[in-house]
Amino acid sequence: IVFSGGISEGAVMPTVKTLGYFPLPQADIVRIATDSSGNVYITNSYYDRVHILSNNGIEITHFPVKRPLGIAVDETGRVFVGTKHGDVSVYDVQGRLLYKLGSGDGEFGMPNDIATSSRGRVYVVDSSKKTVKVYNSITGQYLFSFGAFGFPTGIVVDEVSAEVYVADHNYARVR
């Protein structure tokens, strides 16, 4: 990511070392997330499932989710998965449905990316509605929305600075 001011003086580029890859044949990998143990969660819309892999690429398990998009895992291990059907479902690590955010089916147009915070909030990028919706991570209750984006596609919560960064595809910037 290059921010409008470029890289600040004194910044050091990180060293990148490829450790390997996760082979998922015939996969349509959409988004990835990690949990506090380093496991990797992958949404796969080709097979309508979420794969859970160890940090060395071995599949631990998977569970079915119809047309998955965005994914996040909170610090308690709950898995938040957005779908092309306009909902964000919350699962335990075994793939059991716990609840859905907000009013459930049709709450979102396109829940493209999801982020969680240690303050008990879930941030959902709704690309087609051009906004970010925020929910209570325990109850799934809607809290508020923000933004008037062109086509938001990604989100990160910075716990240290208490800021939220949103990738806005149509305007080619991070806001």
Side-chain angles (χ1 to χ4, degrees):
I1 298 173
V2 177
F3 295 95
S4 59
I7 297 176
S8 65
E9 287 188 38
V12 177
M13 293 299 289
T15 303
V16 177
K17 180 179 179 186
T18 302
L19 298 175
Y21 64 94
F22 301 128
L24 295 172
Q26 298 292 322
D28 185 6
I29 295 171
V30 181
R31 298 283 182 267
I32 61 173
T34 59
D35 66 17
S36 60
S37 299
N39 295 321
V40 179
Y41 295 71
I42 301 170
T43 56
N44 180 337
S45 63
Y46 185 87
Y47 283 117
D48 290 331
R49 67 175 62 149
V50 171
H51 298 274
I52 304 174
L53 290 78
S54 67
N55 63 1
N56 61 357
I58 298 170
E59 185 167 32
I60 298 168
T61 190
H62 62 268
F63 57 89
V65 176
K66 189 78 171 158
R67 308 292 305 262
L69 288 171
I71 188 165
V73 182
D74 73 5
E75 58 189 19
T76 67
R78 287 181 297 233
V79 183
F80 297 80
V81 182
T83 73
K84 293 181 182 179
H85 300 292
D87 65 48
V88 173
S89 297
V90 184
Y91 300 91
D92 65 16
V93 74
Q94 286 80 31
R96 291 184 295 249
L97 179 66
L98 301 174
Y99 57 92
K100 293 186 180 192
L101 293 184
S103 61
D105 295 340
E107 175 81 3
F108 305 93
M110 184 180 192
N112 210 353
D113 200 10
I114 304 169
T116 62
S117 77
S118 62
R119 301 174 90 192
R121 292 185 173 171
V122 180
Y123 298 79
V124 181
V125 171
D126 193 335
S127 295
S128 67
K129 293 186 179 177
K130 303 178 181 187
T131 191
V132 173
K133 295 181 176 181
V134 184
Y135 297 82
N136 178 298
S137 66
I138 296 170
T139 65
Q141 178 183 12
Y142 171 81
L143 299 174
F144 60 91
S145 297
F146 65 90
F149 302 100
F151 191 77
T153 55
I155 190 163
V156 173
V157 176
D158 183 342
E159 299 277 359
V160 176
S161 68
E163 294 180 332
V164 177
Y165 296 90
V166 178
D168 194 348
H169 178 78
N170 281 3
Y171 294 126
R173 64 179 134 185
V174 174
R175 298 176 68 188

